[in-house]
Amino acid sequence: MKALVMFYSTYGHTWQIAEAVKEGIHEVTQDVTLKRIPELLSDSVLKALRALEFQKKMEHIPVVSMEELADYDLLFFGSPTRFGNMIGQMRMFLDSTGPLWSKNALTGKVGSCFTSSGTQHGGQESTILSMYNTLIHHGMIVVGLPYSFKGQSRIDEITGCSPYGTSTISGPSGERMPSENELNGARFQGKFAARIAKRIFE
Protein backbone atom coordinates (compact mmCIF):
# COMPACT_ATOMS: atom_id res chain seq x y z
CA MET A 1 0.00 0.00 0.00
CA LYS A 2 1.42 3.34 -1.10
CA ALA A 3 0.51 6.67 0.49
CA LEU A 4 1.00 10.28 -0.60
CA VAL A 5 0.60 13.33 1.63
CA MET A 6 0.41 16.55 -0.39
CA PHE A 7 -0.11 20.04 0.95
CA TYR A 8 0.11 23.75 0.34
CA SER A 9 1.39 25.88 3.20
CA THR A 10 1.84 29.65 3.23
CA TYR A 11 3.45 30.15 6.65
CA GLY A 12 4.27 26.61 7.78
CA HIS A 13 1.15 25.63 9.72
CA THR A 14 -0.27 23.20 7.16
CA TRP A 15 3.23 21.84 6.59
CA GLN A 16 3.50 20.85 10.26
CA ILE A 17 0.14 19.07 10.08
CA ALA A 18 1.29 17.26 6.91
CA GLU A 19 4.43 16.03 8.66
CA ALA A 20 2.34 14.68 11.55
CA VAL A 21 -0.06 12.94 9.14
CA LYS A 22 2.96 11.30 7.52
CA GLU A 23 4.15 10.11 10.94
CA GLY A 24 0.77 8.47 11.55
CA ILE A 25 0.77 6.75 8.17
CA HIS A 26 4.32 5.57 8.79
CA GLU A 27 3.06 3.45 11.69
CA VAL A 28 1.15 1.37 9.11
CA THR A 29 3.37 1.46 6.02
CA GLN A 30 6.92 2.51 5.21
CA ASP A 31 5.81 3.58 1.72
CA VAL A 32 4.65 7.14 2.39
CA THR A 33 5.73 10.22 0.45
CA LEU A 34 5.41 13.93 1.28
CA LYS A 35 5.04 16.45 -1.58
CA ARG A 36 4.05 20.08 -2.14
CA ILE A 37 1.24 21.48 -4.26
CA PRO A 38 2.65 23.63 -7.11
CA GLU A 39 3.04 27.33 -6.37
CA LEU A 40 1.19 29.86 -8.53
CA LEU A 41 2.49 33.10 -7.03
CA SER A 42 5.68 34.92 -7.99
CA ASP A 43 8.49 35.50 -5.49
CA SER A 44 7.62 39.20 -5.40
CA VAL A 45 4.04 38.47 -4.36
CA LEU A 46 5.17 35.89 -1.79
CA LYS A 47 7.60 38.46 -0.39
CA ALA A 48 4.81 41.02 -0.08
CA LEU A 49 2.78 38.41 1.81
CA ARG A 50 5.78 37.75 4.11
CA ALA A 51 5.63 34.13 2.94
CA LEU A 52 8.76 33.83 0.81
CA GLU A 53 10.94 32.73 3.75
CA PHE A 54 8.68 29.76 4.49
CA GLN A 55 8.50 28.80 0.82
CA LYS A 56 12.30 28.71 0.66
CA LYS A 57 12.39 26.41 3.68
CA MET A 58 10.22 23.91 1.82
CA GLU A 59 12.25 23.79 -1.40
CA HIS A 60 13.68 20.38 -0.44
CA ILE A 61 10.18 18.87 -0.61
CA PRO A 62 9.32 17.69 -4.15
CA VAL A 63 6.39 19.23 -6.03
CA VAL A 64 3.58 16.80 -6.83
CA SER A 65 2.33 16.23 -10.37
CA MET A 66 -1.24 15.44 -11.30
CA GLU A 67 -0.30 12.30 -13.22
CA GLU A 68 1.37 10.56 -10.28
CA LEU A 69 -1.75 10.52 -8.08
CA ALA A 70 -2.86 7.33 -9.82
CA ASP A 71 0.25 5.56 -8.48
CA TYR A 72 -0.90 5.76 -4.85
CA ASP A 73 -3.59 3.97 -2.84
CA LEU A 74 -4.00 6.59 -0.09
CA LEU A 75 -4.06 10.31 -0.87
CA PHE A 76 -4.01 13.08 1.75
CA PHE A 77 -4.67 16.70 0.75
CA GLY A 78 -3.85 19.65 3.02
CA SER A 79 -4.79 23.27 2.38
CA PRO A 80 -5.04 26.46 4.43
CA THR A 81 -8.43 28.14 4.58
CA ARG A 82 -9.24 31.11 2.36
CA PHE A 83 -12.67 32.59 3.07
CA GLY A 84 -14.03 29.20 4.11
CA ASN A 85 -12.63 27.44 1.07
CA MET A 86 -9.42 25.76 -0.03
CA ILE A 87 -6.58 27.99 -1.20
CA GLY A 88 -6.36 28.80 -4.94
CA GLN A 89 -3.24 26.70 -5.44
CA MET A 90 -5.06 23.59 -4.23
CA ARG A 91 -8.17 24.44 -6.25
CA MET A 92 -6.10 24.77 -9.43
CA PHE A 93 -4.31 21.50 -8.72
CA LEU A 94 -7.54 19.60 -8.13
CA ASP A 95 -9.09 21.19 -11.21
CA SER A 96 -6.20 19.80 -13.24
CA THR A 97 -7.16 16.21 -12.36
CA GLY A 98 -9.81 15.99 -15.08
CA PRO A 99 -7.72 13.55 -17.15
CA LEU A 100 -7.60 11.19 -14.15
CA TRP A 101 -11.36 11.54 -13.66
CA SER A 102 -12.02 10.68 -17.31
CA LYS A 103 -10.13 7.39 -16.84
CA ASN A 104 -11.56 6.61 -13.38
CA ALA A 105 -7.95 6.51 -12.25
CA LEU A 106 -8.72 7.50 -8.64
CA THR A 107 -11.91 5.49 -8.20
CA GLY A 108 -11.78 3.34 -5.08
CA LYS A 109 -8.69 5.01 -3.64
CA VAL A 110 -8.80 6.32 -0.07
CA GLY A 111 -8.74 10.09 0.36
CA SER A 112 -8.52 12.36 3.40
CA CYS A 113 -7.98 16.08 4.07
CA PHE A 114 -6.70 18.56 6.66
CA THR A 115 -6.53 22.33 6.98
CA SER A 116 -5.55 25.42 8.99
CA SER A 117 -7.32 28.72 9.58
CA GLY A 118 -6.61 32.02 11.29
CA THR A 119 -9.47 31.82 13.77
CA GLN A 120 -11.52 29.17 15.59
CA HIS A 121 -14.48 29.72 13.29
CA GLY A 122 -12.59 30.63 10.13
CA GLY A 123 -14.08 27.92 7.93
CA GLN A 124 -12.06 24.84 8.86
CA GLU A 125 -14.91 22.41 8.28
CA SER A 126 -16.14 24.07 5.07
CA THR A 127 -12.60 24.06 3.68
CA ILE A 128 -12.22 20.33 4.23
CA LEU A 129 -15.69 19.71 2.78
CA SER A 130 -14.76 21.77 -0.30
CA MET A 131 -11.88 19.38 -0.96
CA TYR A 132 -14.02 16.30 -0.28
CA ASN A 133 -16.40 17.39 -3.05
CA THR A 134 -13.69 16.75 -5.62
CA LEU A 135 -12.62 13.47 -4.03
CA ILE A 136 -16.19 12.18 -4.09
CA HIS A 137 -16.55 13.08 -7.77
CA HIS A 138 -13.44 10.98 -8.39
CA GLY A 139 -15.14 8.03 -6.68
CA MET A 140 -12.70 8.02 -3.79
CA ILE A 141 -13.43 6.57 -0.33
CA VAL A 142 -13.42 9.59 1.99
CA VAL A 143 -12.04 9.17 5.53
CA GLY A 144 -12.28 11.83 8.23
CA LEU A 145 -11.15 12.02 11.86
CA PRO A 146 -13.45 9.86 14.01
CA TYR A 147 -14.53 10.74 17.54
CA SER A 148 -12.41 7.84 18.75
CA PHE A 149 -9.72 10.54 18.67
CA LYS A 150 -10.74 12.01 22.02
CA GLY A 151 -8.66 15.14 21.51
CA GLN A 152 -11.29 16.75 19.33
CA SER A 153 -13.74 16.74 22.24
CA ARG A 154 -11.43 18.64 24.61
CA ILE A 155 -12.72 21.85 26.18
CA ASP A 156 -9.73 22.62 28.37
CA GLU A 157 -7.91 24.43 25.58
CA ILE A 158 -8.57 26.10 22.26
CA THR A 159 -8.03 23.47 19.61
CA GLY A 160 -8.78 22.59 16.02
CA CYS A 161 -9.88 19.16 14.67
CA SER A 162 -13.37 17.93 13.81
CA PRO A 163 -14.92 14.72 12.44
CA TYR A 164 -14.18 16.05 8.95
CA GLY A 165 -10.44 16.12 9.55
CA THR A 166 -7.51 17.60 11.42
CA SER A 167 -7.23 21.36 11.60
CA THR A 168 -5.13 23.94 13.39
CA ILE A 169 -5.69 27.57 14.34
CA SER A 170 -2.85 29.87 13.31
CA GLY A 171 -4.07 33.11 14.90
CA PRO A 172 -4.77 36.41 13.10
CA SER A 173 -1.06 37.02 12.40
CA GLY A 174 0.02 33.39 12.09
CA GLU A 175 1.67 33.50 15.48
CA ARG A 176 0.23 30.20 16.75
CA MET A 177 1.72 26.95 15.47
CA PRO A 178 -0.11 23.58 15.75
CA SER A 179 -0.58 22.37 19.32
CA GLU A 180 0.40 18.90 20.44
CA ASN A 181 -3.28 17.96 20.55
CA GLU A 182 -3.74 19.02 16.92
CA LEU A 183 -0.60 17.18 15.84
CA ASN A 184 -1.87 14.09 17.66
CA GLY A 185 -5.10 14.43 15.68
CA ALA A 186 -3.08 14.48 12.47
CA ARG A 187 -1.14 11.38 13.49
CA PHE A 188 -4.37 9.62 14.44
CA GLN A 189 -6.01 10.53 11.12
CA GLY A 190 -2.99 9.39 9.15
CA LYS A 191 -2.84 6.04 10.93
CA PHE A 192 -6.63 5.55 10.76
CA ALA A 193 -6.83 6.21 7.01
CA ALA A 194 -3.75 4.08 6.35
CA ARG A 195 -5.25 1.12 8.19
CA ILE A 196 -8.39 1.39 6.06
CA ALA A 197 -6.35 1.62 2.86
CA LYS A 198 -4.24 -1.35 3.89
CA ARG A 199 -7.34 -3.52 4.31
CA ILE A 200 -8.41 -2.62 0.78
CA PHE A 201 -5.13 -2.79 -1.10
CA GLU A 202 -3.21 -5.56 0.66
Side-chain angles (χ1 to χ4, degrees):
M1 191 270 291
K2 296 178 61 178
L4 173 63
V5 181
M6 67 207 97
F7 70 96
Y8 182 88
S9 187
T10 310
Y11 301 108
H13 303 83
T14 316
W15 179 15
Q16 284 198 16
I17 295 293
E19 293 282 6
V21 167
K22 181 183 175 184
E23 290 173 15
I25 296 172
H26 205 261
E27 294 186 43
V28 179
T29 178
Q30 299 296 307
D31 200 343
V32 53
T33 303
L34 183 73
K35 294 202 174 186
R36 293 181 292 137
I37 296 296
E39 181 58 82
L40 301 176
L41 302 177
S42 66
D43 283 358
S44 60
V45 172
L46 290 170
K47 187 174 182 180
L49 292 171
R50 296 176 289 107
L52 186 58
E53 176 185 350
F54 290 101
Q55 302 304 311
K56 297 294 185 184
K57 288 181 179 179
M58 295 186 292
E59 285 183 343
H60 67 285
I61 303 172
V63 175
V64 67
S65 67
M66 176 272 293
E67 295 83 3
E68 69 183 291
L69 300 190
D71 298 333
Y72 295 90
D73 308 305
L74 170 61
L75 299 168
F76 262 90
F77 301 84
S79 169
T81 294
R82 292 296 184 270
F83 303 107
N85 210 322
M86 72 185 86
I87 201 165
Q89 287 87 337
M90 180 64 79
R91 179 69 271 166
M92 287 292 289
F93 180 76
L94 289 176
D95 283 351
S96 76
T97 60
L100 298 176
W101 172 84
S102 66
K103 296 184 290 187
N104 299 313
L106 303 184
T107 300
K109 295 183 183 294
V110 176
S112 199
C113 299
F114 55 93
T115 190
S116 63
S117 68
T119 62
Q120 292 182 70
H121 310 292
Q124 298 173 29
E125 294 181 351
S126 60
T127 297
I128 291 175
L129 288 170
S130 73
M131 290 188 279
Y132 283 157
N133 286 339
T134 302
L135 274 56
I136 289 169
H137 277 262
H138 273 289
M140 297 180 70
I141 300 165
V142 171
V143 175
L145 178 64
Y147 278 111
S148 49
F149 171 65
K150 301 303 182 183
Q152 66 175 292
S153 299
R154 291 177 64 171
I155 57 171
D156 61 319
E157 66 176 59
I158 294 173
T159 188
C161 296
S162 76
Y164 303 99
T166 301
S167 59
T168 186
I169 304 159
S170 65
S173 303
E175 66 275 18
R176 180 186 183 274
M177 297 308 288
S179 69
E180 189 59 29
N181 185 55
E182 293 163 344
L183 293 173
N184 283 338
R187 296 180 188 108
F188 189 104
Q189 188 177 353
K191 183 177 180 180
F192 179 68
R195 289 175 66 186
I196 292 172
K198 187 172 183 178
R199 291 175 192 167
I200 296 170
F201 295 104
E202 290 188 1

